[in-house]
């Protein structure tokens, strides 16, 4: 294979996988009765262009299979075959097989030929069936409709791309990062000019106006560049119709999935990481939430359960809800389980909030038991941990017999952190606002030195919090030794609170997060770096890591 | 990079002259304050902003044990190095930059073995006029976690 052609392999695979996702989404809507000529045409087009592309690269197995698939679709198009459940299954199976073939070919291997042959045979049977029949509606059903009127709502692939659409182009993320860096430099230059102009006495008013304009333009530019990185959440949602369909069939349940707010946009960095937690929640709803049809009927509900996935934008956050109309959290089972695991005392009767908290507690459930044991806490602690690592939160609301609702609140992006600058001696650090609870100034004697440990505790809202002296953890000079000389910033990381001792708190900023690892290495207690308005580097603190570091240091001191 | 470089950039650190393959030199800039890295080895002076990327800076005086960190008037040579995974950028704080020197193919001599430290950071020795230039190996700057 010539080198030149192989350069296009990647885009062939990417685009083919993407269009298979479109095909899958369209096929899933077949089941809801959306089998119009447009839908059939969409499916046909995917198979057709896949055949063409594979032919160009000489992937003969794919060509041969898609050719047969195309014949079936052609029969559908001409009305010689009708869409029914077995045929839809067959077509969905073809999508899976093609996906497997593409992935195997990309990796330089090939897929089990028997599997291909079997499925191809089934498809050929369909073609044969169609030949034995006259067109039922005549070829008139084939509307010469070259493109769907609107792009399928959730036709995007899991890799994060939107539906192939004439108005979009594929851009390497590295290029966007370069662009973002260049804009960042522009912001710094603009700030420098503004400071300079303020220093010039009697500067021309036109200059001042011009600079103000520049500032606005630069901000707009920065926002636009950030927006380019945003993708609709449909890229993640699109995998659920299939997942729900397959799992529901396996559990013998009837489940309808409704998606809402698919166009809500969020940064690629977050998008890549919310898929797994959402899959977990949806699986849980199917597995433990929605009741089997007979139970539902006995409870006076419709036999088919509903799961809703809704995304929306609230302030600076994205809220994703996973809602089902199943049985809600099983209070009795959760209490039983928590007792058997020693999470609560034998006689305790926790209230609803406490019950919800229980399912998120580590050790509530373990992976081995997930399949056989009911109770809705399958690995929920992992879900919560992952969501927290993204700077988000998760909550659950449940009504017995009516259903449960999980609410995930996530930041738009991991590329920007809302931060508070703190000063420690000559150093400046950025603390993410999401980890700050409050800043306070101690009175002399406001802290208690714990005997023999060399560390202090303060009282805050009725709790004792350890004091982390940032300058000691980081080995830098501080302006204040006495705790009442500086400020205590109460922070929370990994569910634990601590008082971070700093000299003072300075302004807030929107920090564009840069990696330390790109050119250096990971630094304990630091999650990244950012560039301040004056062009210097400020390190962004990793609060959970600091809390852990302090714990280690304390244990070390006591040992 | 193992072959002898055709051109080197020479610079001074604590009275001695060093050189490095000019092909790894990305740019030369005047001293600007760097941001300290918590709990880093003493020769890791800090990080600086190079057009939007965070670049670590090594203080060569401290690294070679030839005196105190010097800042005012110092020069930062920014290198672009081929690392295992990708290109990495790295700054070296040196006293001053001297010259660009052409090297004959056989000009680089091996460093005599006498158990001196930090040998693997030297590619060899070069005589330039009356001076001996210590040629630094671009692979000699390991910043990966090693000491922690």
């Amino acid at each position: 294979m010539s080198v030149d052609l192989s350069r296009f392999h990647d885009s062939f695979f990417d685009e083919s996988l993407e269009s298979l996702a479109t095909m899958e989404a369209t096929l899933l809507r077949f089941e809801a009765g959306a089998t119009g000529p447009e839908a059939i045409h969409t499916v046909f087009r995917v198979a057709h262009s896949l055949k063409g592309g594979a032919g160009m690269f000489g992937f003969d197995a794919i060509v041969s299979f898609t050719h047969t698939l195309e014949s079936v679709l052609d029969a559908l198009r001409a009305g010689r075959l009708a869409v029914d459940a077995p045929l839809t299954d067959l077509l969905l199976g073809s999508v899976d097989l093609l996906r497997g073939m593409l992935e195997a070919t990309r990796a330089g291997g090939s897929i089990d030929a028997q599997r291909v042959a079997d499925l191809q045979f089934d498809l050929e049977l369909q073609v044969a069936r169609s030949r034995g029949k006259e067109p039922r509606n005549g070829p008139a059903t084939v509307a010469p409709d070259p493109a769907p009127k609107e792009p399928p709502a959730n036709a995007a692939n899991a890799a994060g791309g939107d539906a192939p659409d004439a108005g979009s182009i594929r851009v390497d993320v590295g290029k966007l990062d370069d662009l973002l860096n260049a804009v960042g430099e522009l912001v710094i230059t603009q700030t420098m000019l503004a400071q300079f102009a303020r220093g010039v006495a009697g500067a021309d008013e036109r200059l001042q106006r011009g600079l103000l304009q520049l500032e606005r333009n630069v901000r707009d530019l920065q926002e636009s560049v950030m927006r380019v990185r945003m993708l609709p959440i449909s890229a993640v949602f699109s995998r659920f119709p299939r997942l729900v369909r397959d799992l529901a069939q396996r559990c013998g349940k009837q489940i309808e999935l409704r998606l809402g707010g698919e166009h809500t946009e969020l940064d690629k960095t977050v998008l890549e990481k919310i898929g797994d937690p959402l899959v977990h929640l949806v699986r849980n709803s199917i597995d433990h939430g929605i009741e089997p049809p007979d139970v539902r009927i006995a409870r006076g509900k419709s036999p088919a359960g509903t799961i809703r996935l809704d995304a929306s934008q609230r302030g600076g956050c994205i809220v994703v809800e996973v809602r089902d109309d199943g049985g809600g959290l099983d209070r009795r089972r959760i209490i039983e389980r928590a007792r058997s695991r020693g999470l609560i005392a034998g006689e305790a009767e926790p209230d609803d909030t406490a019950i919800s908290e229980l399912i998120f507690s580590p050790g509530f459930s373990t992976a081995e038991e997930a399949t056989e044991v009911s109770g809705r806490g399958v690995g929920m602690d992992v879900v919560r941990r992952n969501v927290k690592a993204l700077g988000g939160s998760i909550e659950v609301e449940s009504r017995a017999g009516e259903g449960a609702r999980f609410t995930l609140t996530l930041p738009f992006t991991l590329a920007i952190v809302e931060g508070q600058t703190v000063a420690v001696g000559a150093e400046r650090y950025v603390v993410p606002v999401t980890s700050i609870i409050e800043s306070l100034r101690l009175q002399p004697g406001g802290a208690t030195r714990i005997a023999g440990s060399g560390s202090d505790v303060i009282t805050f809202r009725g709790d004792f919090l350890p004091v982390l002296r940032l300058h000691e953890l980081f080995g830098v000079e501080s302006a204040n030794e006495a705790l009442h000389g500086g400020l205590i910033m109460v922070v929370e990381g990994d569910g634990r609170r601590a008082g971070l001792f700093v000299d003072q708190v300075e302004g807030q900023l929107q920090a564009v997060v840069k990696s330390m690892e790109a050119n250096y290495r990971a630094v304990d207690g630091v999650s990244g770096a950012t560039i301040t308005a004056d062009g210097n580097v400020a390190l962004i603190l990793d609060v959970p890591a600091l809390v852990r570091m302090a714990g280690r240091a304390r244990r070390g001191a006591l040992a | 990079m193992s072959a002898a470089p055709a051109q080197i950039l020479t610079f001074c650190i604590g009275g001695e002259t060093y050189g490095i393959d000019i092909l790894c030199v990305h740019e030369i800039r005047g001293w600007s304050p760097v941001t300290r890295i918590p709990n880093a080895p003493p020769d890791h002076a800090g990080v600086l902003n190079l057009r939007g990327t965070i670049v670590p800076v090594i203080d060569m005086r401290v690294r070679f044990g030839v005196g105190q960190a010097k800042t005012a008037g110092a020069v930062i040579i920014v290198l672009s190095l081929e690392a295992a995974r990708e290109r990495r950028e790295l700054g070296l704080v040196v006293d001053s930059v001297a010259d660009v020197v052409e090297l004959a193919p056989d000009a680089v001599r091996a460093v005599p073995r006498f158990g001196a430290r930090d040998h693997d950071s030297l590619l060899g020795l070069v005589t330039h006029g009356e001076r001996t230039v210590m040629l630094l190996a671009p692979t000699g700057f390991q910043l990966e976690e090693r000491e922690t």
Side-chain angles (χ1 to χ4, degrees):
Chain A
M1 221 165 285
S2 82
V3 178
D4 266 333
L5 207 54
S6 67
R7 276 177 50 215
F8 300 108
H9 276 176
D10 268 347
S11 62
F12 165 71
F13 287 123
D14 285 346
E15 280 163 19
S16 301
L17 289 170
E18 218 164 73
S19 47
L20 276 180
T22 309
M23 182 163 165
E24 186 176 44
T26 315
L27 287 173
L28 287 169
R29 279 200 302 277
F30 274 19
E31 296 187 327
T35 57
E38 268 169 35
I40 293 174
H41 193 85
T42 304
V43 175
F44 182 83
R45 225 164 11 122
V46 171
H48 187 71
S49 58
L50 194 56
K51 186 173 95 173
M56 202 164 75
F57 293 110
F59 300 142
D60 296 333
I62 299 180
V63 175
S64 152
F65 183 81
T66 41
H67 180 75
T68 314
L69 180 61
E70 219 182 52
S71 310
V72 174
L73 295 171
D74 196 43
L76 266 182
R77 216 160 57 142
R80 291 196 305 270
L81 275 179
V83 176
D84 54 14
L87 184 63
T88 309
D89 276 340
L90 187 62
L91 293 176
L92 281 171
S94 306
V95 170
D96 290 340
L97 185 76
L98 279 170
R99 201 176 271 145
M101 285 169 100
L102 284 168
E103 273 156 9
T105 311
R106 185 181 218 164
S110 61
I111 199 167
D112 180 16
Q114 189 58 46
R115 236 187 99 197
V116 180
D118 287 350
L119 199 55
Q120 202 160 349
F121 179 73
D122 289 345
L123 289 172
E124 272 158 9
L125 276 182
Q126 295 289 334
V127 178
R129 191 159 73 100
S130 77
R131 292 225 173 92
K133 284 183 190 168
E134 281 301 300
R136 292 181 316 138
N137 302 326
T141 46
V142 196
D145 192 355
K149 281 191 192 90
E150 52 176 344
N154 45 13
N157 75 339
D162 202 348
D165 152 19
S168 71
I169 52 166
R170 188 176 281 278
V171 183
D172 183 48
V173 186
K175 284 188 190 162
L176 290 183
D177 288 344
D178 290 347
L179 193 59
L180 195 61
N181 282 347
V183 173
E185 286 299 295
L186 197 58
V187 172
I188 292 160
T189 315
Q190 171 261 314
T191 313
M192 218 170 62
L193 282 176
Q195 271 166 1
F196 178 68
R198 265 197 292 278
V200 178
D204 195 324
E205 198 196 317
R206 278 172 306 173
L207 174 70
Q208 300 286 12
R209 265 210 311 273
L211 283 170
L212 220 60
Q213 179 105 41
L214 178 67
E215 185 180 338
R216 269 199 301 274
N217 292 346
V218 168
R219 299 262 169 250
D220 285 352
L221 181 61
Q222 193 174 24
E223 266 174 37
S224 305
V225 174
M226 288 309 300
R227 264 206 307 277
V228 173
R229 297 167 48 100
M230 305 281 265
L231 291 168
I233 199 166
S234 59
V236 169
F237 278 6
S238 64
R239 71 166 93 161
F240 286 102
R242 184 68 191 277
L243 181 99
V244 170
R245 173 188 183 273
D246 289 358
L247 279 180
Q249 264 181 8
R250 208 175 304 157
C251 300
K253 294 177 183 174
Q254 293 173 22
I255 298 174
E256 192 188 331
L257 176 71
R258 298 224 182 112
L259 302 175
E262 294 130 297
H263 297 296
T264 311
E265 290 190 326
L266 62 171
D267 192 83
K268 194 176 170 351
T269 45
V270 182
L271 204 61
E272 281 165 354
K273 298 204 168 116
I274 61 164
D276 289 347
L278 284 180
V279 167
H280 212 113
L281 293 175
V282 170
R283 270 175 181 278
N284 252 328
S285 279
I286 299 171
D287 223 12
H288 308 295
I290 304 279
E291 313 93 325
D294 50 330
V295 177
R296 289 184 66 89
I297 292 169
R299 287 184 181 172
K301 296 186 194 176
S302 78
T306 307
I307 295 179
R308 285 199 62 104
L309 269 175
D310 284 292
S312 58
Q313 180 185 335
R314 265 178 231 166
C317 292
I318 292 285
V319 178
V320 186
E321 278 183 5
V322 182
R323 213 180 327 165
D324 67 55
D325 64 350
L329 297 180
D330 191 333
R331 197 187 149 84
R332 195 178 44 82
R333 274 221 175 90
I334 292 171
I335 293 178
E336 248 167 46
R337 196 163 169 71
R339 278 193 189 133
S340 72
R341 303 205 161 252
L343 295 172
I344 51 173
E347 294 75 40
E349 276 295 328
D351 60 12
D352 287 350
T353 330
I355 295 264
S356 317
E357 278 307 304
L358 273 176
I359 64 167
F360 291 115
S361 41
F364 179 77
S365 66
T366 57
E368 309 89 79
E369 288 167 284
T371 45
E372 33 188 281
V373 183
S374 227
R376 298 193 55 183
V378 180
M380 279 299 176
D381 59 321
V382 179
V383 173
R384 177 175 266 189
R385 191 156 5 107
N386 291 346
V387 169
K388 285 214 159 169
L390 285 173
S393 63
I394 179 169
E395 269 153 41
V396 59
E397 246 175 88
S398 161
R399 284 210 188 134
E402 285 176 39
R405 166 164 50 188
F406 287 86
T407 310
L408 276 94
T409 310
L410 297 159
F412 270 117
T413 172
L414 300 180
I416 291 190
V417 159
E418 196 72 39
Q420 178 93 54
T421 313
V422 297
V424 179
E427 315 291 330
R428 298 288 177 277
Y429 301 104
V430 177
V431 186
V433 167
T434 48
S435 4
I436 304 175
I437 293 171
E438 192 176 313
S439 295
L440 46 100
R441 191 177 288 279
L442 290 182
Q443 297 300 318
T448 311
R449 163 110 349 167
I450 299 297
S453 72
S455 45
D456 303 276
V457 294
I458 54 167
T459 46
F460 177 74
R461 298 185 191 162
D463 278 332
F464 290 111
L465 305 185
V467 174
L468 312 182
R469 291 169 188 255
L470 197 55
H471 65 279
E472 281 177 10
L473 286 175
F474 278 1
V476 299
E477 295 275 318
S478 156
N480 300 289
E481 265 310 312
L483 289 180
H484 58 264
L487 277 177
I488 301 281
M489 189 175 252
V490 178
V491 291
E492 188 176 72
D494 272 353
R496 274 148 61 194
R497 287 182 179 180
L500 199 62
F501 174 57
V502 299
D503 287 337
Q504 70 193 62
V505 171
E506 292 176 355
Q508 286 214 3
L509 81 167
Q510 286 212 318
V512 177
V513 182
K514 311 270 176 175
S515 152
M516 287 290 278
E517 281 110 293
N519 287 309
Y520 190 58
R521 61 189 189 197
V523 177
D524 209 7
V526 172
S527 63
T530 190
I531 291 158
T532 54
D534 55 7
N536 287 324
V537 179
L539 302 181
I540 302 169
L541 299 184
D542 180 350
V543 172
L546 286 174
V547 175
R548 283 195 299 274
M549 275 167 83
R552 275 205 301 278
R554 241 196 321 276
R555 275 194 298 280
L558 283 171
Chain B
M1 219 49 106
S2 53
Q7 268 194 335
I8 57 168
L9 176 75
T10 62
F11 47 91
C12 301
I13 304 164
E16 299 288 349
T17 308
Y18 294 82
I20 194 154
D21 189 344
I22 195 123
L23 293 179
C24 4
V25 178
H26 187 65
E27 70 175 69
I28 299 166
R29 49 191 285 160
W31 167 261
S32 57
V34 296
T35 301
R36 285 198 36 188
I37 307 164
N39 303 316
D43 60 328
H44 293 189
V47 284
L48 60 75
N49 163 25
L50 187 76
R51 284 179 296 280
T53 27
I54 308 292
V55 175
V57 174
I58 295 185
D59 191 317
M60 297 307 283
R61 281 180 159 236
V62 179
R63 189 173 184 95
F64 289 153
V66 287
Q68 286 299 303
K70 181 179 142 179
T71 53
V75 175
I76 298 177
I77 303 176
V78 180
L79 305 179
S80 180
L81 303 172
E82 201 81 56
R85 279 170 289 166
E86 58 215 25
R87 292 201 83 77
R88 285 187 168 223
E89 275 157 2
L90 166 73
L92 306 181
V93 186
V94 302
D95 296 352
S96 61
V97 168
D99 223 342
V100 175
V101 177
E102 305 269 344
L103 289 189
D106 57 351
V108 182
R109 300 292 162 81
V111 186
R113 292 267 152 216
F114 45 84
R117 56 159 200 277
D118 234 348
H119 252 179
D120 49 346
S121 66
L122 286 190
L123 212 56
L125 300 175
V126 179
T127 309
H128 174 55
E130 292 173 3
R131 318 215 70 173
T132 298
V133 178
M134 285 175 265
L135 197 55
L136 297 179
T139 50
F141 304 101
Q142 293 300 325
L143 295 179
E144 305 294 324
E145 216 103 17
R146 192 172 46 169
E147 43 272 277
T148 46

